[in-house]
Amino acid sequence: ATAGPPPPPRYIMSSATSLLTSSYPSTSAPPDGTSCWLCLEDGPDDSGAPLVRDCSCRGHSGFAHLPCLVKYGNQMAEQALRKVEATGTIANMVDIFYKCPNCKQDYQNGILVEMKKANITFHKEKLMQPGHDKIHLAIESAELEKRLRNINGRNKNERDEGLKIVTKLLSIS
């Protein structure tokens, strides 16, 4: 009997306060010679986080260390926040943590979960401070509207969720 393929690697996420080991595996192992598109290092990073990818990128592209993705997301969100503060125009901060900047597809599975955690951490640290109330509400509204667009109206649970979202959006307005 031949042995099956080895289990996918576990990855590690860096947050502002700690390193968390996740039980969410990457869905595709990197080909030999692949490097992180952010730090350009191949193989696991210094903390042991392997290269991961869970988007539509193909071949050698799109692989990154999860801590590098989180750092990149934080940097892009900081940049968008500075733009909002300077111009008063709400920047598109909704997709920063949720979409691959290369292929523009939403992250999937464990990477999406970990990036959502990073987004929540960013919001708590940067937007839940006095003076950022309107920015936080505008971003929350945009995220709720995005979820509302993806609800399946034929599914009772999703329909109920949609009604709750509409109620929340009306209360924010």
Side-chain angles (χ1 to χ4, degrees):
T2 59
R10 295 165 58 94
Y11 60 81
I12 299 172
M13 181 200 129
S14 172
S15 71
T17 57
S18 66
L19 288 175
L20 301 173
T21 301
S22 174
S23 59
Y24 301 104
S26 171
T27 59
S28 56
D32 289 340
T34 302
S35 61
C36 174
W37 68 269
L38 292 160
C39 74
L40 305 179
E41 295 291 325
D42 59 348
D45 69 3
D46 293 339
S47 71
L51 293 169
V52 294
R53 175 181 73 190
D54 227 344
C55 59
S56 287
C57 289
R58 296 292 174 251
H60 290 260
S61 67
F63 283 95
H65 303 108
L66 190 57
C68 292
L69 287 174
V70 170
K71 182 178 177 181
Y72 176 80
N74 285 329
Q75 289 170 343
M76 293 296 101
E78 284 278 352
Q79 189 176 50
L81 183 58
R82 284 193 299 274
K83 182 178 179 182
V84 169
E85 291 168 341
T87 65
T89 304
I90 298 298
N92 184 7
M93 294 180 70
V94 176
D95 291 335
I96 290 173
F97 288 93
Y98 301 154
K99 284 191 182 290
C100 171
N102 298 313
C103 70
K104 310 296 186 232
Q105 180 192 327
D106 288 349
Y107 291 117
Q108 303 293 311
N109 304 311
I111 294 174
L112 177 62
V113 170
E114 297 301 337
M115 294 302 285
K116 283 185 175 187
K117 289 178 186 176
N119 185 29
I120 290 167
T121 300
F122 179 84
H123 280 248
K124 284 181 179 175
E125 292 177 358
K126 301 294 180 177
L127 298 176
M128 301 303 269
Q129 301 174 11
H132 286 121
D133 298 342
K134 289 181 182 178
I135 296 170
H136 173 72
L137 288 176
I139 292 168
E140 182 180 11
S141 295
E143 289 175 349
L144 289 170
E145 288 170 13
K146 181 179 180 182
R147 173 63 187 130
L148 193 57
R149 285 192 302 268
N150 293 317
I151 284 182
N152 176 358
R154 295 179 186 190
N155 178 301
K156 182 182 178 347
N157 290 337
E158 289 193 28
R159 215 174 30 249
D160 292 345
E161 179 187 0
L163 290 172
K164 288 178 185 175
I165 290 173
V166 168
T167 303
K168 177 130 180 140
L169 285 170
L170 290 172
S171 73
I172 290 174
S173 301

PDB file of all heavy atoms in Angstrom, residues 13 16 48 59 68 73 82 99 107 120 128 137 141 145 148 153-154 173:
ATOM      1  N   MET A  13       0.436  32.721  12.860  1.00  0.00           N
ATOM      2  CA  MET A  13       0.086  34.106  12.589  1.00  0.00           C
ATOM      3  C   MET A  13       0.679  34.995  13.659  1.00  0.00           C
ATOM      4  O   MET A  13       0.618  34.690  14.831  1.00  0.00           O
ATOM      5  CB  MET A  13      -1.425  34.260  12.594  1.00  0.00           C
ATOM      6  CG  MET A  13      -1.871  35.657  12.298  1.00  0.00           C
ATOM      7  SD  MET A  13      -3.530  35.894  12.874  1.00  0.00           S
ATOM      8  CE  MET A  13      -3.272  37.364  13.809  1.00  0.00           C
ATOM      9  N   ALA A  16      -0.431  41.625  17.139  1.00  0.00           N
ATOM     10  CA  ALA A  16       0.248  42.681  17.869  1.00  0.00           C
ATOM     11  C   ALA A  16       0.767  42.183  19.214  1.00  0.00           C
ATOM     12  O   ALA A  16       1.739  42.703  19.730  1.00  0.00           O
ATOM     13  CB  ALA A  16      -0.686  43.858  18.073  1.00  0.00           C
ATOM     14  N   GLY A  48       9.036  30.314  12.051  1.00  0.00           N
ATOM     15  CA  GLY A  48       8.610  28.976  11.640  1.00  0.00           C
ATOM     16  C   GLY A  48       7.361  28.960  10.783  1.00  0.00           C
ATOM     17  O   GLY A  48       6.884  27.896  10.399  1.00  0.00           O
ATOM     18  N   GLY A  59       0.842  28.958  -9.825  1.00  0.00           N
ATOM     19  CA  GLY A  59       2.280  28.786  -9.991  1.00  0.00           C
ATOM     20  C   GLY A  59       3.026  29.201  -8.739  1.00  0.00           C
ATOM     21  O   GLY A  59       2.661  28.856  -7.631  1.00  0.00           O
ATOM     22  N   CYS A  68       3.714  38.032   7.359  1.00  0.00           N
ATOM     23  CA  CYS A  68       3.988  39.058   6.339  1.00  0.00           C
ATOM     24  C   CYS A  68       2.678  39.626   5.796  1.00  0.00           C
ATOM     25  O   CYS A  68       2.565  40.837   5.571  1.00  0.00           O
ATOM     26  CB  CYS A  68       4.827  38.483   5.202  1.00  0.00           C
ATOM     27  SG  CYS A  68       6.518  38.037   5.667  1.00  0.00           S
ATOM     28  N   GLY A  73      -1.172  43.996   5.544  1.00  0.00           N
ATOM     29  CA  GLY A  73      -2.529  44.491   5.761  1.00  0.00           C
ATOM     30  C   GLY A  73      -2.546  45.680   6.709  1.00  0.00           C
ATOM     31  O   GLY A  73      -3.220  46.686   6.455  1.00  0.00           O
ATOM     32  N   ARG A  82      -4.598  57.240   7.055  1.00  0.00           N
ATOM     33  CA  ARG A  82      -3.983  58.569   6.880  1.00  0.00           C
ATOM     34  C   ARG A  82      -4.671  59.337   5.759  1.00  0.00           C
ATOM     35  O   ARG A  82      -4.898  60.539   5.863  1.00  0.00           O
ATOM     36  CB  ARG A  82      -2.480  58.447   6.618  1.00  0.00           C
ATOM     37  CG  ARG A  82      -1.671  58.125   7.861  1.00  0.00           C
ATOM     38  CD  ARG A  82      -0.182  58.305   7.654  1.00  0.00           C
ATOM     39  NE  ARG A  82       0.363  57.446   6.619  1.00  0.00           N
ATOM     40  CZ  ARG A  82       0.770  56.195   6.811  1.00  0.00           C
ATOM     41  NH1 ARG A  82       0.696  55.651   8.008  1.00  0.00           N
ATOM     42  NH2 ARG A  82       1.261  55.491   5.822  1.00  0.00           N
ATOM     43  N   LYS A  99      -8.785  40.528   0.701  1.00  0.00           N
ATOM     44  CA  LYS A  99      -8.509  40.185  -0.697  1.00  0.00           C
ATOM     45  C   LYS A  99      -7.013  40.102  -0.948  1.00  0.00           C
ATOM     46  O   LYS A  99      -6.245  40.915  -0.447  1.00  0.00           O
ATOM     47  CB  LYS A  99      -9.074  41.248  -1.639  1.00  0.00           C
ATOM     48  CG  LYS A  99     -10.561  41.188  -1.820  1.00  0.00           C
ATOM     49  CD  LYS A  99     -10.980  42.096  -2.962  1.00  0.00           C
ATOM     50  CE  LYS A  99     -12.458  42.109  -3.150  1.00  0.00           C
ATOM     51  NZ  LYS A  99     -13.022  40.905  -3.662  1.00  0.00           N
ATOM     52  N   TYR A 107      -9.457  36.027   0.163  1.00  0.00           N
ATOM     53  CA  TYR A 107      -8.757  34.902   0.772  1.00  0.00           C
ATOM     54  C   TYR A 107      -9.804  33.878   1.177  1.00  0.00           C
ATOM     55  O   TYR A 107     -10.970  34.192   1.378  1.00  0.00           O
ATOM     56  CB  TYR A 107      -7.977  35.353   2.010  1.00  0.00           C
ATOM     57  CG  TYR A 107      -6.793  36.225   1.703  1.00  0.00           C
ATOM     58  CD1 TYR A 107      -6.739  37.539   2.156  1.00  0.00           C
ATOM     59  CD2 TYR A 107      -5.711  35.747   0.976  1.00  0.00           C
ATOM     60  CE1 TYR A 107      -5.650  38.341   1.888  1.00  0.00           C
ATOM     61  CE2 TYR A 107      -4.619  36.547   0.699  1.00  0.00           C
ATOM     62  CZ  TYR A 107      -4.588  37.846   1.165  1.00  0.00           C
ATOM     63  OH  TYR A 107      -3.508  38.634   0.899  1.00  0.00           O
ATOM     64  N   ILE A 120      -9.821  42.897  12.826  1.00  0.00           N
ATOM     65  CA  ILE A 120     -10.479  43.251  14.085  1.00  0.00           C
ATOM     66  C   ILE A 120      -9.468  43.890  15.036  1.00  0.00           C
ATOM     67  O   ILE A 120      -9.757  44.912  15.673  1.00  0.00           O
ATOM     68  CB  ILE A 120     -11.149  42.009  14.715  1.00  0.00           C
ATOM     69  CG1 ILE A 120     -12.354  41.590  13.874  1.00  0.00           C
ATOM     70  CG2 ILE A 120     -11.545  42.273  16.168  1.00  0.00           C
ATOM     71  CD1 ILE A 120     -12.895  40.217  14.214  1.00  0.00           C
ATOM     72  N   MET A 128     -11.031  52.475  17.376  1.00  0.00           N
ATOM     73  CA  MET A 128     -11.909  52.562  18.547  1.00  0.00           C
ATOM     74  C   MET A 128     -11.376  53.610  19.520  1.00  0.00           C
ATOM     75  O   MET A 128     -11.442  53.453  20.723  1.00  0.00           O
ATOM     76  CB  MET A 128     -12.028  51.194  19.223  1.00  0.00           C
ATOM     77  CG  MET A 128     -12.580  50.114  18.314  1.00  0.00           C
ATOM     78  SD  MET A 128     -14.175  50.502  17.627  1.00  0.00           S
ATOM     79  CE  MET A 128     -15.214  49.789  18.861  1.00  0.00           C
ATOM     80  N   LEU A 137     -17.606  53.836  11.897  1.00  0.00           N
ATOM     81  CA  LEU A 137     -18.974  53.556  11.466  1.00  0.00           C
ATOM     82  C   LEU A 137     -19.075  53.411   9.956  1.00  0.00           C
ATOM     83  O   LEU A 137     -19.806  52.554   9.460  1.00  0.00           O
ATOM     84  CB  LEU A 137     -19.920  54.658  11.954  1.00  0.00           C
ATOM     85  CG  LEU A 137     -20.216  54.657  13.450  1.00  0.00           C
ATOM     86  CD1 LEU A 137     -21.087  55.853  13.814  1.00  0.00           C
ATOM     87  CD2 LEU A 137     -20.863  53.359  13.889  1.00  0.00           C
ATOM     88  N   SER A 141     -20.244  50.040   8.183  1.00  0.00           N
ATOM     89  CA  SER A 141     -21.361  50.060   7.232  1.00  0.00           C
ATOM     90  C   SER A 141     -20.973  49.408   5.917  1.00  0.00           C
ATOM     91  O   SER A 141     -21.735  48.622   5.347  1.00  0.00           O
ATOM     92  CB  SER A 141     -21.810  51.503   6.970  1.00  0.00           C
ATOM     93  OG  SER A 141     -22.320  52.074   8.123  1.00  0.00           O
ATOM     94  N   GLU A 145     -22.691  46.158   4.297  1.00  0.00           N
ATOM     95  CA  GLU A 145     -23.275  46.214   2.952  1.00  0.00           C
ATOM     96  C   GLU A 145     -22.688  45.138   2.052  1.00  0.00           C
ATOM     97  O   GLU A 145     -23.396  44.506   1.269  1.00  0.00           O
ATOM     98  CB  GLU A 145     -23.060  47.595   2.347  1.00  0.00           C
ATOM     99  CG  GLU A 145     -23.913  48.668   2.985  1.00  0.00           C
ATOM    100  CD  GLU A 145     -23.535  50.067   2.559  1.00  0.00           C
ATOM    101  OE1 GLU A 145     -22.767  50.234   1.585  1.00  0.00           O
ATOM    102  OE2 GLU A 145     -24.015  51.019   3.199  1.00  0.00           O
ATOM    103  N   LEU A 148     -24.259  41.923   2.977  1.00  0.00           N
ATOM    104  CA  LEU A 148     -25.650  41.931   2.532  1.00  0.00           C
ATOM    105  C   LEU A 148     -25.753  41.567   1.048  1.00  0.00           C
ATOM    106  O   LEU A 148     -26.657  40.843   0.644  1.00  0.00           O
ATOM    107  CB  LEU A 148     -26.261  43.305   2.793  1.00  0.00           C
ATOM    108  CG  LEU A 148     -27.768  43.444   2.695  1.00  0.00           C
ATOM    109  CD1 LEU A 148     -28.470  42.478   3.638  1.00  0.00           C
ATOM    110  CD2 LEU A 148     -28.182  44.870   3.005  1.00  0.00           C
ATOM    111  N   GLY A 153     -31.071  35.029  -0.538  1.00  0.00           N
ATOM    112  CA  GLY A 153     -32.406  35.303  -0.038  1.00  0.00           C
ATOM    113  C   GLY A 153     -33.301  34.081   0.047  1.00  0.00           C
ATOM    114  O   GLY A 153     -34.348  34.117   0.694  1.00  0.00           O
ATOM    115  N   ARG A 154     -32.932  32.996  -0.589  1.00  0.00           N
ATOM    116  CA  ARG A 154     -33.746  31.774  -0.547  1.00  0.00           C
ATOM    117  C   ARG A 154     -33.462  30.940   0.691  1.00  0.00           C
ATOM    118  O   ARG A 154     -34.202  30.022   1.002  1.00  0.00           O
ATOM    119  CB  ARG A 154     -33.507  30.942  -1.797  1.00  0.00           C
ATOM    120  CG  ARG A 154     -33.980  31.662  -3.039  1.00  0.00           C
ATOM    121  CD  ARG A 154     -33.724  30.861  -4.267  1.00  0.00           C
ATOM    122  NE  ARG A 154     -34.074  31.678  -5.419  1.00  0.00           N
ATOM    123  CZ  ARG A 154     -34.150  31.216  -6.621  1.00  0.00           C
ATOM    124  NH1 ARG A 154     -33.894  29.954  -6.876  1.00  0.00           N
ATOM    125  NH2 ARG A 154     -34.467  32.017  -7.612  1.00  0.00           N
ATOM    126  N   SER A 173     -27.161  54.816  10.217  1.00  0.00           N
ATOM    127  CA  SER A 173     -27.403  55.986   9.354  1.00  0.00           C
ATOM    128  C   SER A 173     -27.787  57.209  10.117  1.00  0.00           C
ATOM    129  O   SER A 173     -28.470  57.310  11.013  1.00  0.00           O
ATOM    130  CB  SER A 173     -28.491  55.669   8.332  1.00  0.00           C
ATOM    131  OG  SER A 173     -28.090  54.578   7.555  1.00  0.00           O
TER     132      SER A 173
END
